[in-house]
Amino acid sequence: EVQLVESGGGLVQAGGSLRLSCAASGFTFDRYAIGWFRQAPGKEREGVSCVMNGNERTNDENSVKGRFTISRDNAKNMVYLQINNLKPEDTAVYYCAAALRSRLWIECPIIGSFYGYWGQGTQVTVSS
């Protein structure tokens, strides 16, 4: 059974940092791209970052760029999202998701429709 379990969210003051973790099980981890997405209340889901062997991407939008860093540890079946200089607009539920890597992919997708497996999410709340 495929499982993705996020952790590391919480309440943090603006300017602080968090490291979110995504623990994966039930599939051949190194064959999959892992993405991080977030959804704020009343807003559409937004792709934040993704990683697959040999490629990492972060959303280029100014709201994210330069503050989010993704990494993966294939030995532990873990993916991490480091978020620095948190802002109130980062408040959202953060999800990790898994997609079987396509041979056609030059880079991992930061679009949710590519991903077939999703975790339950972890809440990040940033106070001003």
Side-chain angles (χ1 to χ4, degrees):
E1 178 187 4
V2 173
Q3 280 195 321
L4 296 165
V5 180
E6 303 92 337
S7 62
L11 174 63
V12 64
Q13 287 189 333
S17 298
L18 282 175
R19 189 176 81 154
L20 307 183
S21 298
C22 174
S25 61
F27 59 97
T28 307
F29 185 70
D30 61 1
R31 295 179 60 191
Y32 280 70
I34 304 295
W36 279 100
F37 299 82
R38 68 183 182 181
Q39 188 164 22
K43 295 188 177 181
E44 292 187 355
R45 184 177 61 198
E46 175 186 25
V48 173
S49 190
C50 66
V51 62
M52 64 186 187
N53 286 345
N55 176 247
E56 302 166 1
R57 290 180 65 199
T58 299
N59 192 322
D60 289 337
E61 291 188 6
N62 290 333
S63 62
V64 172
K65 191 175 183 179
R67 300 189 296 117
F68 289 62
T69 303
I70 193 169
S71 61
R72 71 187 288 161
D73 185 337
N74 284 345
K76 296 181 179 179
N77 285 13
M78 296 289 294
V79 173
Y80 307 97
L81 184 69
Q82 177 71 36
I83 312 173
N84 297 325
N85 189 22
L86 278 153
K87 302 177 180 181
E89 51 264 41
D90 293 323
T91 295
V93 178
Y94 284 72
Y95 300 90
C96 67
L100 181 63
R101 176 176 181 169
S102 168
R103 295 180 179 179
L104 300 177
W105 290 353
I106 297 172
E107 54 188 9
C108 56
I110 314 180
I111 301 174
S113 58
F114 282 92
Y115 292 80
Y117 302 104
W118 292 80
Q120 294 299 306
T122 186
Q123 176 71 47
V124 171
T125 303
V126 184
S127 63
S128 57

